[in-house]
Each structure stands twice: as structure tokens, then as C-alpha cells.
Amino acid sequence: MNIGSVIKKYRKEIGITQEEMANRLGVTTPAVNKWENGNSNPDIELLAPIARLLHISLDTLLSFHETLSGAEIEEMIREMDKMFSEEGYEKTYEWAVKIVKEYPNCNILIWQVALMLDARRMTGECEEPDKYDDQINSWYERALNDEDEEIRHHAADSLFGFYLRKQNYPMAEKYLSYFSDHDPMKKVNLGRLYKEQGKIEEAYEVFEDVLFSEYSTLNLAISMMTGLALEEEDTAYATFLAEKNGTLSAVFDMGKYNEYVPMLNIVCAKKDVEGTYQVVEQLLKSMDSLYDFSKSKLYRHKKFKDADGSYLQVIKEKLLESFRNEEDLSFMKGYEPWEKLLSK
């Protein structure tokens, strides 16, 4: 969209004619017509009055580029990548400066251009990498103010990485504040920061906390998928998912109880009497493993409260009671080993 198209677009939005616009600017109607048709451009002294009249910024009037499509951005990044090989870092940098001036409102493009330049200088493709710090970081900072949370996240991550490499730890920590407290990458980066500062115990503890919390998220997600598969009566897929969840529990050292429990819904859905009996028997036998994670080497730096044996017994009794009263387990009634198991 050229400057004439911008003028035409915003003139129509405020509801004035070419003649009215010409009168307010002190020019002729044919002059406005020529601008809008791309046959000529307004004189430089008219740019500010035009922007005020149309209720837009000079940046909007002069840049005349709106948000690029994903495909257009990908094409530019491919062109930039090719330029590094064919023309070198400095020429590519000059091209990048020009592109950012041409598309000053496209923060996703600006972030990607900065990232490409940043990455290439880290691989030794430019002779004076520090020379570009201010410009690249200014582009990151611009993207940091975008309305899109994902773009802000990318920019903050890039700035965090830059200052971590520079061993400017206070600045690196500053950019962690742009991450949501619920974003696991905030903790991962905090662990990286501790590691670089030589705070090894703190780093381990943060990384282990990420593992522990992400297990809960993954476990819940797979459990919900298993439930969906059962609702769709896709028992084979539900079984596959339940097995994966059991493996997940084993990988994260969550104890035998958590390895067995995903199969409970599967055997119940199948009304598999023998299978249900075996799963429940294993669950009751493995109740003491509920806190096995607290003894795992995987979490050896993480602080846990000591397991309360009496609390585990309460859980076991409640579990037995639920098995006795659960209507979905009515198909087990009368099965002698089951009755004996629940009478303990």
C-alpha cells in the first residue's frame, strides 16, 4: 500500500471527500486525486497537516505498511538467510536496517530479523559482533512492547539470552520479569541464571521443580485424552494412552501406585473382572509408593515434607470405601477374590 492508498483509506474512514480534504489543506482537488491514484506524492511540508487531518501518526502515513502475512515474513527471512551466504554479514545488516524502516510496525518481523543477526554473529560470521549490540537490542526492545504476548515472550527470551552471555546477570534477571509465573521457561531460565552465577544447588532445585510440576501437567493432559478416547469408545487408543501415562510415571519416579492407576479406567470400561481385580490389588499393595518421588535421585535437591504413614493409611481406607460403593464397579460384585480384597 503506497502513501496515496493510505490517504484514500483514512480519508474515507473519517468520511470526507477529496474536495473537502483539498480545501482544508489549501491544495486543489486534482492534487488530492493524483496522490490517491499514485501519480504524485504530497510535498513534505504537507505531511504533518495530512496526518493530523486523517487522525493518524506520521509513522502510519509514511511507513504505509501494515502487518505482513506469515508467508510474506517467511519469504523475507529466507531472503535474509540467502543474503548472509552470498553477500556477508554487513550487507545483510544494512538490508535489515532498511527493511525495519520500511515495516516499523511489524514487530514479529523485527524480532525475527534481530534474532537472525544475533544468531549469525554468535557463530562467528561477523568480525565485530559487539558493534551491533545496540541496534539489535533496540529491535528486541521494540518487539518487547508488542500487544501480542507471544512476541513479547520471544523478545524477552532473546534479551535474557543476550545479557546472560554478557554475564550481566542483573539485566538478565530483569527480563525474566516479562515471563508469566506460570511459564515453565521462566524457571528454566532462572536455573540457567543460577548456573552461570555458580549457584549450583539453587539451579538444581529450580530444574527439579520444573520436572516435578511438568509431570503433573503431562499426567493430567494424558489422563484427559484417555477419558476422551473412552467416551468415543476407542478402547484401543485409550489403552495406548494409559500405558503411556504409566510409563510417564515410571520415568519421573512417581512410584508404582501412579504407574498402575492409569489402567483402572481401562479395565473398568471393559468390565474386565479379572483385570479390574489385578489393577486394584496392585494399587492397594503399592499405596506406600505414593511418596517414592521424595526419595528419587531425580529430585535429590528438592525439599519435600516427610511422608506421613497415618495419612497414607487414611487414603487407603478411603480408596477401599470408594471401591466398595462405586456404582461403576457393580460388575465386580459376587466375584469372591474381589469381595475378599475389599474386606481387608
Side-chain angles (χ1 to χ4, degrees):
M1 186 183 290
N2 58 35
I3 191 169
S5 298
V6 173
I7 291 172
K8 183 176 182 179
K9 174 186 174 184
Y10 288 101
R11 174 181 62 76
K12 288 188 173 182
E13 283 191 9
I14 64 172
I16 63 174
T17 65
Q18 288 184 347
E19 185 178 1
E20 288 172 321
M21 182 172 186
N23 289 336
R24 295 191 193 185
L25 294 171
V27 298
T28 65
T29 303
V32 175
N33 184 265
K34 285 180 180 180
W35 299 342
E36 295 188 357
N37 289 328
N39 295 323
S40 67
N41 291 322
D43 292 337
I44 192 168
E45 64 269 15
L46 286 172
L47 295 179
I50 289 171
R52 286 196 296 272
L53 176 62
L54 299 177
H55 307 300
I56 59 175
S57 67
L58 268 174
D59 184 59
T60 301
L61 179 65
L62 293 176
S63 68
F64 52 81
H65 285 294
E66 299 176 354
T67 302
L68 292 163
S69 69
E72 289 172 321
I73 292 172
E74 286 178 16
E75 180 58 35
M76 286 184 177
I77 296 302
R78 279 195 295 269
E79 182 181 348
M80 186 177 180
D81 190 49
K82 184 179 178 183
M83 194 176 296
F84 277 119
S85 303
E86 295 180 352
E87 301 189 39
Y89 193 94
E90 183 63 30
K91 289 288 185 184
T92 307
Y93 170 77
E94 291 171 2
W95 174 88
V97 170
K98 179 184 175 199
I99 285 296
V100 170
K101 285 181 179 177
E102 195 171 348
Y103 297 91
N105 299 317
C106 188
N107 286 330
I108 186 64
L109 172 67
I110 292 169
W111 168 73
Q112 290 193 37
V113 164
L115 188 66
M116 288 278 285
L117 288 166
D118 211 0
R120 291 286 182 152
R121 66 180 179 159
M122 282 192 286
T123 57
E125 294 189 30
C126 82
E127 295 180 358
E128 300 177 82
D130 294 347
K131 169 184 172 182
Y132 305 95
D133 285 354
D134 290 344
Q135 182 61 78
I136 290 174
N137 285 349
S138 73
W139 286 338
Y140 283 148
E141 289 283 356
R142 193 184 302 187
L144 197 62
N145 295 313
D146 196 83
E147 293 179 358
D148 188 313
E149 183 180 2
E150 185 177 359
I151 296 174
R152 294 199 305 272
H153 179 281
H154 287 318
D157 191 54
S158 297
L159 285 162
F160 169 81
F162 170 81
Y163 285 108
L164 194 66
R165 294 194 305 272
K166 294 289 186 180
Q167 298 183 335
N168 188 336
Y169 302 130
M171 285 297 289
E173 188 170 5
K174 168 189 169 183
Y175 289 103
L176 282 181
S177 66
Y178 287 87
F179 290 75
S180 164
D181 288 336
H182 304 292
D183 184 351
M185 281 307 300
K186 181 171 187 174
K187 287 186 177 179
V188 170
N189 281 336
L190 180 60
R192 290 172 62 195
L193 180 60
Y194 284 151
K195 173 181 173 294
E196 293 300 320
Q197 291 174 307
K199 300 177 180 179
I200 304 304
E201 290 296 310
E202 291 91 336
Y204 269 125
E205 189 171 351
V206 169
F207 290 137
E208 290 171 13
D209 190 48
V210 171
L211 291 179
F212 194 74
S213 61
E214 287 307 293
Y215 162 75
S216 299
T217 302
L218 293 170
N219 173 267
L220 178 60
I222 299 177
S223 296
M224 296 300 292
M225 290 171 68
T226 304
L228 283 172
L230 289 174
E231 288 177 13
E232 294 178 334
E233 299 183 356
D234 190 346
T235 309
Y237 184 46
T239 302
F240 165 81
L241 290 168
E243 289 170 349
K244 288 294 183 186
N245 220 353
T247 302
L248 180 73
S249 297
V251 168
F252 281 83
D253 287 348
M254 288 296 156
K256 289 295 181 182
Y257 180 91
N258 285 304
E259 292 177 39
Y260 293 129
V261 78
M263 289 304 298
L264 182 59
N265 286 336
I266 306 299
V267 291
C268 289
K270 292 180 178 178
K271 296 193 182 331
D272 179 351
V273 173
E274 181 60 26
T276 301
Y277 170 76
Q278 289 178 0
V279 171
V280 170
E281 183 182 39
Q282 291 296 336
L283 290 177
L284 293 173
K285 283 181 180 178
S286 60
M287 285 296 301
D288 291 343
S289 75
L290 272 172
Y291 287 95
D292 275 6
F293 57 79
S294 64
K295 304 173 225 172
S296 169
K297 288 183 180 179
L298 197 56
Y299 311 108
R300 67 180 186 174
H301 301 85
K302 187 171 170 59
K303 299 173 181 64
F304 295 104
K305 292 181 180 179
D306 293 333
D308 187 339
S310 61
Y311 180 65
L312 288 175
Q313 185 58 37
V314 170
I315 294 176
K316 185 174 183 178
E317 289 171 2
K318 287 186 176 180
L319 193 61
L320 277 168
E321 189 65 24
S322 70
F323 289 145
R324 294 186 190 109
N325 299 323
E326 179 57 59
E327 290 183 8
D328 289 343
L329 291 171
S330 58
F331 65 91
M332 296 296 294
K333 289 184 179 177
Y335 183 57
E336 187 175 343
W338 174 259
E339 302 293 349
K340 187 181 295 186
L341 180 67
L342 298 190
S343 65
K344 292 179 180 180

